Each structure stands twice: as C-alpha cells, then as structure tokens.
Amino acid sequence: MPARTGTQFLEGLQRNPPNIYVDGAKVDDPTTHAATANAARSIAHLYDLQHRPDLVEVMTYVSPSSGERVGLSFLEPSSREDLRRRARMHKVWADASLGFIGRSPDYLNVNLMAAARAAPYFDLQDGRYGEHMRRYYEFVRENDLCLTHALTNPQVNRGVRADQLIDPYIALGLVKETAEGIIVRGARMMATLPIADEILIFPSTVLKEQEEMTRYALAFAVPCSTPGVSFQCREPLDVGRSHEDHPLGSRFDEMDAMVYFDDVLVPWERVFIVNDVKLANRAYASTGAVYHMAHQVVNVKIAKAEAFLGVAQAIVDMIGSEQFQHVQQKVAELIVTLEVMRALKTQSEETAAVDAYGTMTPGKDALNAARNLFPQLYPRMVEVLQLLSASGLIMIPTEADRKGPMADAIQRYLSARNADADTRVRLFRLAWDMTISSFGGRQNLYEKFFFGDPVRTQCALYQGYDTAPYVERVRRFLERSDDPAATPAAPAD
Ligand SMILES: Cc1cc2nc3c(=O)[nH]c(=O)nc-3n(C[C@H](O)[C@H](O)[C@H](O)COP(=O)(O)OP(=O)(O)OC[C@H]3O[C@@H](n4cnc5c(N)ncnc54)[C@H](O)[C@@H]3O)c2cc1C
C-alpha cells in the first residue's frame, strides 16, 4: 500500500482498534469516541497532506522495494540534501498543528529507519534480529503505519532497581521464551498517541540498566490491538468544546497512556533485543536513531517557536502595545529563540556525516544542544505570551457568550484597534490554549520531559561532549610567552 490517506488511517483504527481505556470504560472505536476522535482526525489530516497535489513531492518518495510513493519520513538519507528534504516534510506536518502535536508519526518513522539501517547492531546479539528490524521497518513503511512508543518503567520507586521492587514485573520484563516468541509482562510509562496501529518498545534513550537487569533489556513491536496490551489513558483534555473555544485542545489532544502487558506473546519476527543489557543501553545512540528523532524534533520546535512569535506579534498589533520598549524586548526574545532553533537545525545538517551503517546522520552536537535548550526556553515563551496579553488572556467569552444576550456588549467592549470582537477573542483563545488552559499546561510538562529527564539528558550531553580541545587551548594560552614566534599555534577547530 502506498502512503496512506487520512481515511485509510481511520479505517485502520476501526479495523484493529487499540485497546484503549478512558475514564473508566473501553473505547470501542477511537475514531468516534469523544476523547480521541478529534485527535484521530488531526492525524488523518496529516496523512491527507501526503496526497495534496502540490505537496506530493515534498511528502513522499518512491519506495525502493515496491516502487510506490511512500511517506518521506521513511527515507534512508545518504546526503545532506536528503536530510534537508526530510526536514521540509517534517515542517509541513508540524505546521499543520502549529507544532502542538508532539508525536506525529514521522517521529517514530525516522527511529525505525535508523534502527533498520543499523541492522548489524541488532545482529550482534543474534544473527536473526537485524533482519527482524529491517523487515519490520519495511512493513511499517510499505503500510504507512502509525506507531506509538514507551521507553520508561513505572514511577513506583526510583530509589531501587526494577528487579528489587516487591513485584519484579511492575516494570515490563521477559517472562519466558517459547517456540513462537517471547512472553512479556509488566508496564511501561508512558505512551503518547495511543491511537496508533503499533507500539514500539525500545530501551530508554538515556536510562542505563545494570547487569542484573537482563529481564528488562527489551526491544520489540506489536499491534496496539494485541490481546493483553492495554492503554490506560489520562483524563482527556479535549472536553467537547468547539474549535472556536478550544482551538488546540479540541483538535490536538494526542493523549498519553500507561501501557500494560498482561503476558503478551511477541512473535520472534517482532523481537529486536532480548536479555542483552549492553546492547539495550547503547541502542539509541549506537544506531543513530536518537539523532534522526532529534532532527524531527527540532523541526517541530521551530514550528512551535514560529507560532509563539506569530501569536505574540498579532496580540501586540491588536492591542496597540508595540511602542513600549519592554514589549519589543519580549517579542525580540521570541525571535532569538526561533533563530537559535533554526541555526541549530541548519548546523545539524551542515555537520551531518555518514555513520558506520552508511546513513547520513545529522550532527549530534547541534541536536543535543537543541534538545537541552528548548525545554529551558519554553516556559519563558509561555511567560512572554502571558506578560504581553495580561487580562486579555482571560477575558475571552465563549462562542455561546458571543451569540447570547450579551453579544452587543461583547462586540463593543472586546473589539481591538484593528479587529472586531470575534477576531480578537479567537486570537486570544488561541493564546490561552497555548499557555494557561489544561491543554497548555500539559504542553508545558511535555516540553520538559518528552525527550527524557532534563537532568540526565544534560548529564549525557556533558559526558559525551569533547571538551579536550578547549582545555588544551586554555593550557596553551596560560603557557604562552610574549614572543610571538614562541607562541604555540592554536589547535584547528
Ligand atoms: C507529557 C509527556 C509525554 C510523554 N510521552 C512519552 C512517550 O510518548 N513515550 C515515552 O516513552 N515516554 C514519554 N514520556 C515519558 C518521558 O520519557 C519521561 O517523563 C522522562 O523520561 C522522565 O522519566 P519519568 O517521568 O519516569 O520521571 P522520573 O525518572 O521518575 O523522575 C522524577 C524526578 O526524579 C528525578 N530522578 C529520578 N531518578 C533519577 C536519577 N537516577 N538521577 C537523577 N534524578 C533522578 C528526576 O530528575 C525527576 O526530577 C512522556 C512524558 C510526559 C510528561
């Protein structure tokens, strides 16, 4: 099947509904259930963009196996231009939600692509597993499936190892191997976008297990409808309001869920790592997958930074505050954030290099910087929008109010210098959903943690960064004599 349409995505969910539980009940059809239908439609919209005549070339490419046009995020990049081409695709999908869908399917598509390219890595454990990875990537690519993923163990007691908990199967672990495959039991916390076709279980990008933890060293994939796999969703943030009232929450609540595995059989052909702690600990970094994911992420964050800047400037224009210096300075902060993220994206493409598996991989230093910087900048972006909007952010009558008995007063007192009240309220409702609604609050948390615990992510950056040349330069500076001829040459950058 070539790149799917939105309808095909929705039909797939109806045919094989993920085992989702929301607010005490099972969701029979996620395409019609109030908590998930709008998000499913938003993901369907992304798939439809693959078929828009003016975007077909941007969004798809010709599959090397089937000759059909498949989603461009599956592309196996061999040049910097391939990475730039893929970035254009990421940006189209990110712009469709102003960057507020974090886990659009391209995020895990690039993960799978890199893991499949690195098939020899998985072969280090067992000659079959690399082939499993490769075949699974091709299966997902050719069927244009949507994946969710879960990397971390439940937060029961971070003070002890998973095998020291009273029940060693709180964390997802291997129960036994059988002729058909492996049996797994336990939970992972957590999976965003459970309205997906398949779930990918991979080791964490930053958490490292110890030798005793072989049971938990796992990588595999199964359909979200597999018996024994269940998704316990958090309370929905799409609360049934109109797009006018909740412009983001009513569209993009991608949902988060705990994932329970109740003695689930994973067929051998879907097993990529089992019982190998060393391989699991290095899986993301050694396959390069984490850098391809970070490259998708930086494109989404650029879309989000553009949205904050656009909304901030529109608000300033609307209420006539642009002449105040501190207002200009605050908008300038958003411009700096945007330009820094753009620069890091460009730098990651400029410093891209072919990895051990022949894949053109974006530069890790720039992406690690972006990955660590944006979570720090995001709360300030939210604060800037709040500071620029003040009471405007809260005085936002609903659609019903604007049609009700106070409609005339609303039109009169809530207009703006360049807009009527409807236009003004629509803009401020968007700013509200970005910053202070429940949807906005969850975004704030998401930005802090979606790519791992910021503390350990920064430690990983520190530990992996080559600081030696700069220490050496300082040493040489301290040793330099005043005689220019005797001054040691600076090491090349
Ligand atoms: C909105 C949202 C969406 C998410 N979506 C996904 C997803 O789709 N897929 C997925 O796999 N994951 C997802 N995550 C989970 C994310 O990967 C984790 O939140 C992140 O890795 C941190 O783990 P944790 O939440 O278990 O926090 P914990 O590890 O329990 O940390 C809690 C606190 O304790 C501290 N702490 C705990 N252990 C240590 C330690 N050893 N050293 C130092 N400090 C420590 C942390 O710094 C933090 O302050 C999502 C998270 C959020 C909030």
Side-chain angles (χ1 to χ4, degrees):
M1 183 195 282
R4 283 195 295 182
T5 63
T7 304
Q8 287 169 324
F9 165 69
L10 295 173
E11 285 170 355
L13 287 181
Q14 284 168 338
R15 251 194 327 274
N16 297 306
N19 300 318
I20 292 179
Y21 293 81
V22 177
D23 210 10
K26 179 142 196 280
V27 172
D28 292 324
D29 180 354
T31 69
T32 56
H33 190 281
T36 48
N38 285 322
R41 265 197 289 280
S42 292
I43 300 292
H45 173 69
L46 301 184
Y47 283 105
D48 277 338
L49 289 175
Q50 302 186 124
H51 293 270
R52 224 175 72 182
D54 58 324
L55 288 176
V56 167
E57 285 292 328
V58 177
M59 305 304 291
T60 63
Y61 74 112
V62 176
S63 158
S65 59
S66 63
E68 305 256 33
R69 291 204 80 88
V70 293
L72 201 120
S73 50
F74 293 106
L75 182 73
E76 297 170 62
S78 58
S79 66
R80 291 186 181 135
E81 184 43 37
D82 280 348
L83 292 176
R84 291 186 200 106
R85 188 177 166 204
R86 192 179 70 187
R88 287 192 283 279
M89 175 274 145
H90 291 316
K91 188 66 173 20
V92 170
W93 269 9
D95 281 341
S97 68
L98 298 179
F100 283 89
I101 295 180
R103 302 291 198 210
S104 48
D106 48 339
Y107 178 72
L108 288 171
N109 292 350
V110 300
N111 176 347
L112 274 193
M113 177 282 299
R117 297 279 305 177
Y121 181 80
F122 298 92
D123 280 340
L124 291 174
Q125 178 178 19
D126 182 315
R128 296 173 298 168
Y129 293 163
E131 183 62 14
H132 293 175
M133 198 70 250
R134 183 82 213 164
R135 284 212 186 136
Y136 183 64
Y137 154 71
E138 286 176 11
F139 167 73
V140 173
R141 178 186 72 197
E142 296 303 318
N143 291 283
D144 205 8
L145 298 179
C146 175
L147 267 57
T148 184
H149 76 322
L151 308 183
T152 53
N153 295 335
Q155 202 182 40
V156 171
N157 182 353
R158 291 294 186 236
V160 299
R161 297 193 317 249
D163 62 327
Q164 295 169 330
L165 292 172
I166 208 152
D167 175 354
Y169 287 106
I170 284 175
L172 177 67
L174 175 76
V175 178
K176 62 178 174 181
E177 299 184 11
T178 71
E180 291 78 36
I182 58 172
I183 308 285
V184 293
R185 183 189 307 160
R188 281 277 171 109
M189 173 173 163
M190 60 196 205
T192 299
L193 197 73
I195 43 170
D197 303 300
E198 299 255 331
I199 179 161
L200 180 68
I201 295 296
F202 242 58
S204 164
T205 56
V206 279
L207 303 188
K208 304 294 170 236
E209 305 285 20
Q210 297 160 5
E211 289 294 335
E212 304 83 342
M213 309 281 276
T214 55
R215 180 190 294 148
Y216 309 102
L218 291 168
F220 65 83
V222 287
C224 294
S225 56
T226 302
V229 176
S230 358
F231 295 88
Q232 173 58 64
C233 296
R234 61 157 162 74
E235 191 176 336
L237 303 173
D238 181 353
V239 289
R241 305 301 292 264
S242 67
H243 293 338
E244 287 268 316
D245 284 349
H246 291 196
L248 300 177
S250 69
R251 291 180 169 100
F252 307 131
D253 182 14
E254 55 194 330
M255 188 51 86
D256 309 290
M258 289 282 292
V259 197
Y260 308 134
F261 291 81
D262 186 8
D263 284 7
V264 172
L265 170 69
V266 182
W268 280 116
E269 64 269 20
R270 293 298 196 85
V271 175
F272 315 128
I273 295 177
V274 60
N275 270 343
D276 190 323
V277 176
K278 284 202 180 91
L279 221 55
N281 281 346
R282 300 282 317 145
Y284 266 114
S286 293
T287 61
V290 71
Y291 305 115
H292 291 276
M293 295 158 87
H295 184 239
Q296 186 268 358
V297 164
V298 77
N299 283 285
V300 178
K301 300 316 162 200
I302 289 169
K304 210 165 186 178
E306 288 172 348
F308 271 84
L309 178 58
V311 169
Q313 185 61 49
I315 282 173
V316 166
D317 290 343
M318 220 171 234
I319 65 173
S321 59
E322 75 277 3
Q323 77 275 24
F324 305 121
Q325 273 187 341
H326 82 93
V327 168
Q328 295 176 10
Q329 178 265 327
K330 288 186 173 74
V331 178
E333 274 188 59
L334 299 181
I335 295 171
V336 171
T337 296
L338 170 60
E339 289 301 329
V340 167
M341 294 308 286
R342 280 187 182 148
L344 290 170
K345 169 201 174 287
T346 305
Q347 173 74 353
S348 77
E349 291 159 1
E350 289 300 309
T351 56
V354 174
D355 72 4
Y357 306 103
T359 311
M360 180 58 76
T361 301
K364 75 179 170 64
D365 291 339
L367 290 175
N368 279 336
R371 165 188 188 178
N372 280 284
L373 183 65
F374 197 77
Q376 295 175 44
L377 299 179
Y378 191 77
R380 178 61 182 163
M381 290 163 64
V382 169
E383 187 181 28
V384 163
L385 217 47
Q386 291 176 350
L387 293 172
L388 294 177
S389 309
S391 61
L393 208 51
I394 213 81
M395 214 24 69
I396 43 174
T398 63
E399 198 178 2
D401 284 328
R402 285 187 280 128
K403 291 179 183 152
M406 299 308 287
D408 289 346
I410 289 170
Q411 285 303 326
R412 181 168 178 195
Y413 297 116
L414 278 169
S415 63
R417 70 166 177 178
N418 63 358
D420 61 21
D422 286 327
T423 310
R424 176 199 159 106
V425 170
R426 235 175 259 135
L427 175 65
F428 275 89
R429 280 217 158 253
L430 176 57
W432 166 84
D433 228 1
M434 289 163 81
T435 57
I436 56 173
S437 69
S438 307
F439 181 89
R442 182 262 177 197
Q443 289 284 324
N444 212 333
L445 188 74
Y446 179 84
E447 291 299 346
K448 289 179 177 66
F449 285 105
F450 81 95
F451 220 31
D453 171 24
V455 173
R456 281 164 281 170
T457 306
Q458 286 181 27
C459 291
L461 170 68
Y462 171 75
Q463 287 157 15
Y465 198 89
D466 182 11
T467 52
Y470 313 110
V471 174
E472 173 62 12
R473 185 173 303 171
V474 169
R475 191 187 64 74
R476 283 167 180 251
F477 174 83
L478 293 173
E479 287 175 1
R480 89 176 187 180
S481 97
D482 287 341
D483 174 4
T487 303
D493 283 324

